[in-house]
Amino acid sequence: MLYLTRRETFNAAHKLHIPEWSDQKNREVFGKCSNPNWHGHNYQLFVTVAGEPDPQLGFVMDAKKLSVIIKEEIIDDVDHANFNLDVSWFPKNLQPTTENMVFIFWQRIEQRVNEAGARLYSIRLQETENIYAEYFGPEGRK
Amino acid sequence: MLYLTRRETFNAAHKLHIPEWSDQKNREVFGKCSNPNWHGHNYQLFVTVAGEPDPQLGFVMDAKKLSVIIKEEIIDDVDHANFNLDVSWFPKNLQPTTENMVFIFWQRIEQRVNEAGARLYSIRLQETENIYAEYFGPEGRK
Amino acid sequence: MLYLTRRETFNAAHKLHIPEWSDQKNREVFGKCSNPNWHGHNYQLFVTVAGEPDPQLGFVMDAKKLSVIIKEEIIDDVDHANFNLDVSWFPKNLQPTTENMVFIFWQRIEQRVNEAGARLYSIRLQETENIYAEYFGPEGRK
Amino acid sequence: MLYLTRRETFNAAHKLHIPEWSDQKNREVFGKCSNPNWHGHNYQLFVTVAGEPDPQLGFVMDAKKLSVIIKEEIIDDVDHANFNLDVSWFPKNLQPTTENMVFIFWQRIEQRVNEAGARLYSIRLQETENIYAEYFGPEGRK
Amino acid sequence: MLYLTRRETFNAAHKLHIPEWSDQKNREVFGKCSNPNWHGHNYQLFVTVAGEPDPQLGFVMDAKKLSVIIKEEIIDDVDHANFNLDVSWFPKNLQPTTENMVFIFWQRIEQRVNEAGARLYSIRLQETENIYAEYFGPEGRK
Amino acid sequence: MLYLTRRETFNAAHKLHIPEWSDQKNREVFGKCSNPNWHGHNYQLFVTVAGEPDPQLGFVMDAKKLSVIIKEEIIDDVDHANFNLDVSWFPKNLQPTTENMVFIFWQRIEQRVNEAGARLYSIRLQETENIYAEYFGPEGRK
């Protein structure tokens, strides 16, 4: 079993806030991340797939095909977008935290990655140089 | 003459658009950067000051004091903010491009840096891993 | 189960040497790292916690609270300090290697992280661009 | 159990192509990576070993000894070399993909690492800023 | 006057050797860089243009247009290529050193950059994490 | 005229303090950098030389020769050393600030670089990811 990781990048705006709460309470809980007028990040997305390399090609999965899947299912919709307003498939009742993003990104690409012959192993998202989240799927890290 | 550079970071939202133009024309000129609902970046700001090191202290300028000036005059207002909506001192008639940011940032800190005993030499702003702008003041690179 | 990682940095001096040994033997075993007058590093510390995101907040753990714990329990004592001389809670009979640091750091923060509602998953410490160590707790990588 | 990682770098040329195929078919499958006249990369190799730190020395393994093993068994043969033509121990029937490299590198160093008192845990190879592969040995990630 | 820099990347093979010399003399002068079977690098190319930002758009030059020029004139020909064999416009009598590359790259894009309304200011090429070259045009750094 | 830059790294301990001052006054002026028991950094040193590339070799200066000069004159003495105690040629009356280091490093290598056929152009020293200093020699940036 070998693991192949592909990095993609996107730039997006978001804010963390709960509409039922006052601005003040949002500020107390989410700090500057609740700024009503949004802020944003250069996100780095790392998708890892697992499998046996094809004996002839030497690929767990063609990295270019993996890139196409990530772009079509995620990047095209989130790059230069607002996570709270523009991303139709991001649930409105979920805060666009790094944790929730990797969870939802998993749903977006798992099937297509698996159909391409590899197994989706993990999705890691770097929000700033100081923070990243990682998800290994519903069965967890194996 | 020696040069000392201090890096600070901030995360902000912005968009490039000219209100008098249609969304379509904004899209043609500014591409995805014109998305009406904003996008954002992790900005890295590099401020360089020039001077002779103090013979006793060995400092062109105390890097901590330089950091305080940058934070009070720039970072506190732009971090986790929306450049088009939240930054009172950023001219409304200027697009918040990397080029215009370094130009305006220069006005914000030049006097305080010079009063602290050094000379502001340059301001460089990294917007993504692929793009940065730099400004050397009204008299240019010397 | 999701994983959230927070990076903190500190700059410290240390040396590797066994007092019972001659300088020459220390040199033979530890090389330049045994220089009697110390040397130092810019350390990068990555703390990973695991848990289910809070359904309302979307946080495995508030990254700012995690940062406070790391700073109060580790960074405040080791930043701009000498690992052999200044860090009261670092055992005198342990060499301040990267391996021993992550092991001791684990003891410092495990309880507070767990009380904050997440589970401490791993501590990784980057000593130079070429070396890092990682620890997953007494029960190992799961 | 603690984990120590050592990074080494090398610069090499390679191409992906199957001699029995036409240039056109190689191009269709491998894209630009099949350019007959080769291309190349700055590779970053990360080798992780696992073990209990020596109670006196604090080392899972002396990082300098690990570096010597990696250099003698891998780097000396692949640095500034052509993976398809110059590396005698790289099987001619394997494509020099990142996946196959970490697999073969494992065979090169496992025994020497284990004889040095640690356990080889993983080999990760970064080919570009966007792609890396990792291998955890025949028994997989534990 | 403001300065805008755009980064592009490419992966290429090359070798340094003088055909009139023996392999041994090439080895003495160029070291491992003379390996007859080539080696390669992940190159990072930084192109800086200078100018006054357009008062309405805020651009010294549209970074996307700059990217197109660099790609059409340089990257499309050198990416996944062999500098000694594949790049028709790279003079056969010049060694493909980092210095000569930035010099020749300047000729490739100067006119198109200037026609686009900015002034080409510098070209910097990072060959490894330890080496880069920079060129400021025939009139030098101003 | 072309510019070639070579990076070298070293890890060192230092402190900023004026012996005639009390610990308290040192603390007021230098902050944590005055810790009596030292602290340390991973320094990155960038040396830039200028010249015309040799028409046959394509080198402004052989980067390996430049590396040897930097190592023999600087790195061998400062790596894994204490700047205040171990570096015989660093003036005792100068604080080991980043600014003073690049100034003194210039004296160490200028003559040997110039004898090797290039002109020393600048020395830049990165102390942390947030601070670096640069020196262009007694005649300044040209």
Side-chain angles (χ1 to χ4, degrees), chain E:
Chain E
M1 185 72 78
L2 278 124
Y3 298 81
L4 177 75
T5 300
R6 174 80 194 185
R7 183 187 78 128
E8 302 290 342
T9 63
F10 62 94
N11 309 317
H14 77 153
K15 68 176 171 185
L16 306 182
H17 81 128
I18 293 179
E20 293 74 24
W21 290 357
S22 68
D23 277 5
Q24 188 187 334
K25 181 160 183 196
N26 273 298
R27 186 85 188 179
E28 284 166 17
V29 171
F30 291 118
K32 292 182 297 183
C33 297
S34 72
N35 174 32
N37 288 329
W38 329 97
H39 65 283
H41 298 289
N42 301 342
Y43 288 94
Q44 295 188 70
L45 177 61
F46 298 84
V47 174
T48 301
V49 300
E52 297 296 334
D54 179 279
Q56 190 178 32
L57 305 183
F59 289 155
V60 167
M61 181 177 176
D62 184 339
K64 285 186 297 295
K65 288 183 185 162
L66 178 54
S67 175
V68 167
I69 292 173
I70 303 169
K71 281 184 177 146
E72 290 181 353
E73 300 297 331
I74 298 173
I75 305 294
D76 286 352
D77 292 334
V78 301
D79 188 31
H80 285 73
N82 182 310
F83 246 94
N84 305 67
L85 299 178
D86 293 331
V87 185
S88 63
W89 41 261
F90 197 86
K92 292 303 173 205
N93 63 330
L94 284 187
Q95 295 299 315
T97 60
T98 320
E99 292 96 317
N100 280 339
M101 287 185 193
V102 291
F103 178 75
I104 296 299
F105 289 172
W106 181 280
Q107 332 296 329
R108 293 286 299 168
I109 62 170
E110 183 185 20
Q111 188 176 347
R112 282 192 65 184
V113 168
N114 293 352
E115 287 170 0
R119 178 169 65 81
L120 182 58
Y121 177 72
S122 77
I123 294 185
R124 177 160 55 95
L125 183 65
Q126 184 106 27
E127 187 180 82
T128 70
E129 63 190 19
N130 296 324
I131 291 177
Y132 63 84
E134 192 164 17
Y135 182 53
F136 296 83
E139 299 177 30
R141 198 186 268 262
K142 285 179 296 198

Side-chain angles (χ1 to χ4, degrees), chain C residues 12 16 19 34 40 42-43 45-46 48-49 51 58 61 64 79 82 97 103 120 123 136-137 141:
Chain C
L16 305 182
S34 73
N42 301 342
Y43 289 94
L45 176 61
F46 298 84
T48 301
V49 300
M61 181 177 176
K64 285 187 297 296
D79 188 31
N82 182 310
T97 58
F103 177 75
L120 182 57
I123 295 186
F136 296 83
R141 197 187 271 262

Side-chain angles (χ1 to χ4, degrees), chain F residues 50-131:
Chain F
E52 296 295 334
D54 179 280
Q56 190 178 32
L57 305 182
F59 289 155
V60 167
M61 181 177 176
D62 184 338
K64 285 186 299 295
K65 288 183 184 161
L66 179 54
S67 174
V68 167
I69 293 173
I70 303 169
K71 282 185 176 147
E72 290 181 354
E73 299 298 330
I74 298 173
I75 305 294
D76 286 351
D77 291 334
V78 302
D79 187 31
H80 286 74
N82 182 309
F83 246 94
N84 304 69
L85 299 178
D86 293 332
V87 184
S88 63
W89 42 261
F90 197 86
K92 293 302 173 205
N93 63 330
L94 284 187
Q95 295 300 316
T97 60
T98 320
E99 292 96 319
N100 280 338
M101 286 185 193
V102 291
F103 178 75
I104 296 299
F105 289 173
W106 182 280
Q107 330 297 328
R108 293 289 298 169
I109 62 170
E110 184 185 18
Q111 188 177 347
R112 282 192 65 183
V113 167
N114 293 352
E115 288 171 0
R119 178 168 66 80
L120 182 58
Y121 177 73
S122 77
I123 295 185
R124 177 161 55 96
L125 183 66
Q126 184 107 25
E127 188 180 83
T128 70
E129 62 190 21
N130 296 323
I131 292 178

